[in-house]
Structures are given as C-alpha cells and as structure tokens.
Amino acid sequence: MMEPGMNEPSATPETVDTATEAQKALIERVRDYRKQIQEGGGKDRIDTQHAKGKLTARERINQLLDEGTFQEIDAYMTHRHTDFGMHKSKPLGDGLVAGFGKVNGRRVCVYAQDFTILGGSFGEVAGQKVAKAMDLAMQAGVPVIGLNDSGGARIQEGVFSLAAYGELFYRNTLASGVIPQISVMLGPCAGGAVYSPALTDFVVMTKSISNMFITGPEVIKTVTQEVVDVETLGGAMTHSTVSGVAHFATESEEESFDTVRRLLSYLPSNNTEPAPAAEVTDDPWRMDPELNTLVPADPSTPYDMRVVIEKVFDLGSFMEVHANFAQNAIVGLARLHGQPVGVVGQQPLYMSGVIDIDASDKIARFVRFCDAFNIPLITFSDSPGFMPGVAQEHSGIIRHGAKIVYAYSEATVPKLTVVTRKGYGGAYIVMSSKHIHADLVYAWPTAEIAVMGADGAVNILFRKEISSNADPAAERARLVAEFRDKFSNPYRAAASGFVDDVLLPEETRPRLIAALELLRDKQNSLPAKKHGCMPL
Ligand code: HXC
C-alpha cells in the first residue's frame, strides 16, 4: 500500500467550497511555498543540471525512496548571510533537501545537496538541516543516506560553513557503529566535503558525474607540478580501484540507488537489531559436487574463490563490496538460509591471494562493520602469507596487517572459517583461525595448514642435504613430497582441535547453515574499556 505524505503540491487537499476567503488565502500560501520549494534553483538551473546528465536533489530522493514516502523537513529554512551578494537571494531550503522516508518498506533518513541552489554549497543552514536529519536517524535508530552533489564549503559564509562541516563530521563519528551510514556521490566533492563520506560506512560513486579529492588539479599543479585530470585524480574508477575510498562504482544514478537499496536489505536498521532475514529461497541441503574438484591438485594453480562463494551461499545473494579494490581479497554480503552474513576470503586468482596493505585495510574495515551491525562473519581462508617487499614493509604492512588480527579478535559476532587451501604462517592465524577465537573452523581436504609451503620449507630446512646429494633435483622432490605428506594437510590441525572438522567441499553449505543456527544467539563480551587502540 502506498504510504501517505507526498510532498508534491498536488498532495495538498483541495480547498472545500465552504472555505472563507481568509482560509483560502492561507491554503494558497502553502501551495505557493510548496511550488517554490519544488522549483529549487529555478528552471534554468534544473535544465543545466539535466544537461550535465544529472538528476535534481528531489528527483534523486524520489528515485531512491519507496514511492510517495518522502517526508521533507526544514524546507522553509533560509540563510542569514549578507556578504558577497548573499542578501539578494534567500532560496527556500538553502540548497539542501532533508527528511525521511522508506526503502523497501523500512524507515531511513535522507538528505540531498541541491546543486541548483548556489552549487549545493554547504553552509550554516545545510549543516543545521543535516544535523537534524542525523539526530532524528539516531533517535529513531534508522540508517541515514547522504546524496552528495556540492561545490563544498559555501565560500561566502566563511567560518559558518566550516562549522557546519565540523558538526556533520562529529555526528558521522558518533553515529558510526550505531546506525548504517551510506554516502552516494553524484557530483563534485572537494576539500572538506570528502570527509563526511569518508566517515560513513559505504561510499557509492557514480561514474562520469562524481569525483572526490582534497585539492583539485589546479592546486596540485601549483604545489607539486603534477598535471592530472579530474577523473584520473578522483573519479569513481580511481576511488573504487586504486584508493579504496569508494566501495562501489556505478554506471548511472539509477544504479547507485539500486545499490543502496540492495545494500540496505542486508543491514539492520541499527546496532541493537539483528540483520534482517530474507525469505528462504534456496535449498539448505543443496550440495554442489563441483566444489569437490574446484581446488586444483597443484597448489600453485589458482582457482576462483568467487565460484566457491556463489555455490555455498543462497543463490544470487552475494553482493560484493570493494569489488575492484585489492582484488587479492574478497569481501561482501550474502545470505545463508536467508540470514545476512559477511563474507571474507582470499582470491587465489589475483596475486595468489597474498595479503598486502590494501587487502588488510579492506578486510579489517569490513570485519569491523559486520561486527558493529550484528552480521555473522564467514571467512574462506587461502593465502600464502603477507606480501613481501621493501615497498610494503616501508608503507607499514606490519601496522596494516595487524588490523586484520585486531578486527577478527575483537569481533563478537558468530565467526565461522573454512580453510580451502593455503593456511600458511601469519596469514593462517589472522584469517579468523581458532587461535584468535573463531567459533568453528572447517577445512577442506586440500587445506595446507603449515608455517609455510612445502617448497619454501624444504629450501630452508634441507639446503645442505639437497646440494650435497648426488641427484639434488630428485632429493628435493622427495623431501617436498615428504613435507607435503606430513604438513601440507588439515589433519595435524584437526588432530589438535584447531580445525573442528574436515569437510568434503560440497558439504560446506549445509554445515555452515547448521553452525550459524547454533550460534544465532551467541553471547560474548569484551573486557570493559573506553575503546581499544587499534593499529591505524
Ligand atoms: C559558494 C559556490 C561554491 C561554493 C560553487 N558555487 N561552489 N558558491 N560556495 N563553494 C556556485 C557557483 O558560484 C555557481 O553560482 C554555482 O554554484 C554553480 O557552480 P559552477 O561553477 O557554475 O558549476 P560547475 O561549472 O559545474 O562547477 C562545479 C564546481 C565549481 C567544480 C563544484 O563550482 C567549483 O570548483 N567550486 C568550488 C569548489 C571548492 O573549491 N569548494 C571549496 C572546497 S574547500 P552561479 O550563481 O554563478 O551560478 C572546503 C573546505 C571545507 O570545502 C573544510 C571543512 C573541514
């Protein structure tokens, strides 16, 4: 059923015949105001916005929310500034549309910068409106979605614009881990304007119309003499592949809103609620025999971990996050027997699934998000280890890699792990092993849980024996085979209880469903503290 509360002028009740002239005038005034509010910066600026291939703030909100559910607040607010011609124009709403509504029947708060009014620049009033929407979201315990399209801090308002951003950043920080926060980038986003999105949980960038940077190409040219275009500097592809600032890059505004709606379907409205279960559409006992032969016999031959994920979770339910950033790791949301779960894995197809700085950040951030919002974690571990090299060491692989251990150790949600192949050294420990208190750890028969791979181990342990042997190659091969037989398997770990069971790969789905069912009401708490000191 359509919800009441449309803000269109047509939603204003018809004037009844018995109304006096004074009553009619009151109603006409409301209608006039509503018309002005709807017109934003006027027809010409709306046309310019459309000519750039962009929707207006109101069109965006209407596309994002369930039809007719948007309830606007503060549409009458105007600025109080006079400098640089500001006194000449006081547009209603002041370049920001804020309010609340529903997405797939669930409540959300939303705001959208209106580029048709002073370039959507963020001033005192915009700050007050966003602050109110965020306060309402926190009080109601519902997600907040920001639609960003702005020239940044409103220059004419000076420190009042900066204060407005500061209030927004403060609220973003306090709301972090309490309600989901999603930023959709639909236009320019420069300077301090990038920090609110950066403080939110997910950033969705729309290709060709959005960009994000601290300083634009002109400033960069002056300061560092580098010449770069806007798209290369801070376009959707740059931030979704290179910097990791954006979690999703979409082809169109419509796709951005679809992404937000789908994302919300996995998330609870706030941190006190369980993640929303969906209707069960897939057989919990579905066992795909193709999984049994997916991992090649040769440990150096890659395979696609995405295939594992697609086959284990409810069909079609996997929504990858950060899909193009640090592709040696995979993170995303999926459903298992209808229950939302966070999926983390290595990708042997890309850099053999090694853990580098970007993969560490990607995994740690996602694990913490899932833990904050009661989303159980399921980890598919297959990594040869941390990335060696001077560049990685000097950029702090130690500090960044530590984030993964920290995030998993601290997570109190149900944690299930499947070691599919390489569980070598530090990578084995950090990827939600029993040793950092995963609840249940399973291994496939192809799992190799050891300090390192057979080749490397034999090189270190038996260098002298191999070089002094009459047939070094044969001796080497014999030792590698012996090492593999002894160490490159899951059974030593299983014999010590570090692996709870060795599964035939096809059994993974029903076994994870059963484990998740057991742990549904898991109780776990951390030592009392103000907050930990995560290695950032
Ligand atoms: C006031 C602004 C504005 C701003 C744009 N406008 N940005 N007004 N403050 N920050 C106005 C323009 O004057 C113009 O008004 C209208 O918005 C549309 O802008 P155009 O330039 O015509 O649009 P376009 O060609 O599409 O270019 C968009 C743009 C450009 C790339 C965003 O406007 C721009 O570079 N703006 C400045 C970006 C910036 O440096 N912002 C400050 C960042 S520093 P008229 O009336 O002429 O149509 C910052 C510090 C915050 O944000 C720190 C917080 C901690």
Side-chain angles (χ1 to χ4, degrees):
M1 198 183 98
M2 189 183 287
E3 300 278 338
M6 287 277 285
N7 247 357
E8 302 295 327
S10 60
T12 308
E14 289 300 313
T15 315
V16 289
D17 289 343
T18 54
T20 64
E21 287 310 307
Q23 286 169 329
K24 282 181 189 164
L26 285 175
I27 289 166
E28 275 316 303
R29 190 165 189 196
V30 173
R31 285 192 176 133
D32 282 351
Y33 270 128
R34 288 192 178 177
K35 191 160 173 290
Q36 272 184 58
I37 289 164
Q38 292 298 319
E39 283 167 355
K43 185 175 178 315
D44 289 352
R45 285 174 197 271
I46 290 175
D47 289 346
T48 308
Q49 179 84 346
H50 286 159
K52 287 181 188 162
K54 302 199 297 184
L55 298 173
T56 65
R58 284 166 202 288
E59 287 166 344
R60 286 168 173 164
I61 288 176
N62 287 337
Q63 272 208 12
L64 172 68
L65 300 184
D66 297 349
E67 192 182 350
T69 61
F70 182 52
Q71 309 279 318
E72 188 165 357
I73 55 169
D74 290 337
Y76 294 84
M77 283 184 79
T78 53
H79 69 78
R80 64 187 170 102
H81 296 273
T82 54
D83 293 325
F84 300 108
M86 288 287 281
H87 61 287
K88 290 186 201 150
S89 166
K90 290 186 185 293
L92 293 177
D94 203 43
L96 190 120
V97 184
F100 54 95
K102 290 186 177 174
V103 171
N104 295 327
R106 293 171 62 205
R107 298 162 302 151
V108 296
C109 285
V110 63
Y111 65 86
Q113 290 157 340
D114 183 351
F115 198 86
T116 68
I117 295 178
L118 288 163
S121 54
F122 200 79
E124 187 179 25
V125 164
Q128 288 165 347
K129 290 174 70 168
V130 173
K132 193 189 275 186
M134 288 200 61
D135 291 348
L136 282 169
M138 284 286 274
Q139 280 152 11
V142 302
V144 66
I145 304 152
L147 309 181
N148 296 275
D149 182 4
S150 162
R154 182 170 292 165
I155 298 161
Q156 301 91 321
E157 293 189 22
V159 70
F160 291 100
S161 312
L162 305 183
Y165 269 131
E167 287 289 339
L168 173 56
F169 303 161
Y170 178 78
R171 281 175 172 76
N172 286 140
T173 306
L174 294 197
S176 178
V178 182
I179 52 173
Q181 301 181 76
I182 301 175
S183 300
V184 189
M185 314 311 295
L186 300 156
C189 189
V194 296
Y195 281 114
S196 173
L199 287 163
T200 62
D201 300 310
F202 295 100
V203 175
V204 182
M205 283 189 81
T206 316
K207 286 183 197 168
S208 79
I209 59 168
S210 70
N211 49 63
M212 298 174 76
F213 37 75
I214 298 286
T215 51
E218 287 309 312
V219 176
I220 289 179
K221 197 170 158 193
T222 313
V223 177
T224 69
Q225 285 80 52
E226 292 165 291
V227 177
V228 65
D229 61 85
V230 172
E231 200 57 28
T232 311
L233 180 64
M237 286 317 288
T238 297
H239 284 310
S240 62
T241 58
V242 182
S243 72
V245 166
H247 300 81
F248 302 95
T250 67
E251 298 295 334
S252 64
E253 300 205 20
E254 195 180 4
E255 193 187 327
S256 287
F257 303 138
D258 284 345
T259 301
V260 173
R261 281 194 293 266
R262 185 169 184 214
L263 191 53
L264 285 170
S265 74
Y266 296 89
L267 311 183
S269 292
N270 61 66
N271 65 341
T272 65
E273 289 183 3
E279 195 187 331
V280 174
T281 52
D282 197 359
D283 177 6
W285 289 101
R286 181 172 54 75
M287 292 194 235
D288 193 327
E290 277 181 40
L291 284 173
N292 294 335
T293 52
L294 189 77
V295 178
D298 173 9
S300 59
T301 305
Y303 64 98
D304 190 351
M305 190 66 92
R306 266 194 206 96
V307 174
V308 176
I309 293 169
E310 296 290 348
K311 288 182 184 296
V312 167
F313 295 96
D314 295 357
L315 288 174
S317 73
F318 183 53
M319 180 181 197
E320 192 165 356
V321 173
H322 262 151
N324 298 316
F325 172 65
Q327 293 184 47
N328 33 330
I330 300 174
V331 302
L333 295 152
R335 290 194 181 84
L336 197 54
H337 201 43
Q339 296 292 331
V341 290
V343 182
V344 181
Q346 265 87 30
Q347 175 54 290
L349 274 187
Y350 197 90
M351 292 162 64
S352 306
V354 74
I355 303 177
D356 62 358
I357 287 172
D358 285 347
S360 301
D361 287 355
K362 172 171 164 173
I363 291 171
R365 178 174 175 155
F366 185 73
V367 166
R368 279 170 70 84
F369 173 81
C370 290
D371 185 49
F373 288 103
N374 312 319
I375 300 171
L377 285 159
I378 300 185
T379 302
F380 291 86
S381 167
D382 181 353
S383 178
F386 284 95
M387 178 82 168
V390 176
Q392 287 283 308
E393 293 287 354
H394 286 189
S395 300
I397 181 77
I398 298 171
R399 179 166 50 89
H400 291 277
K403 295 176 194 175
I404 305 182
V405 199
Y406 196 103
Y408 271 120
S409 301
E410 192 187 45
T412 56
V413 289
K415 292 179 283 192
L416 309 178
T417 304
V418 182
V419 184
T420 56
R421 188 160 64 180
K422 292 171 193 164
Y424 295 166
Y428 156 68
I429 303 170
V430 306
M431 287 303 290
S432 194
S433 66
K434 202 76 165 178
H435 318 289
I436 57 170
H437 293 219
D439 296 301
L440 285 162
V441 176
Y442 297 115
W444 285 5
T446 41
E448 302 176 20
I449 300 174
V451 174
M452 61 176 70
D455 285 308
V458 164
N459 283 345
I460 293 168
L461 292 177
F462 303 110
R463 195 172 354 141
K464 281 188 203 127
E465 287 86 338
I466 291 170
S467 60
S468 62
N469 194 282
D471 186 349
E475 178 60 359
R476 202 174 174 287
R478 188 190 68 74
L479 287 165
V480 166
E482 188 184 329
F483 187 94
R484 287 187 62 76
D485 188 49
K486 272 209 175 90
F487 288 100
S488 303
N489 61 62
Y491 301 107
R492 286 202 153 209
S496 304
F498 300 140
V499 159
D500 293 293
D501 202 359
V502 178
L503 307 181
L504 289 175
E506 67 177 358
E507 297 166 344
T508 306
R509 175 175 164 81
R511 296 296 296 269
L512 289 179
I513 290 174
L516 202 59
E517 191 180 10
L518 169 75
L519 293 163
R520 196 176 47 207
D521 303 317
K522 177 186 170 187
Q523 296 292 315
N524 195 6
S525 61
L526 299 172
K529 55 177 129 176
K530 185 174 177 192
H531 60 71
C533 300
M534 190 181 193
L536 296 171

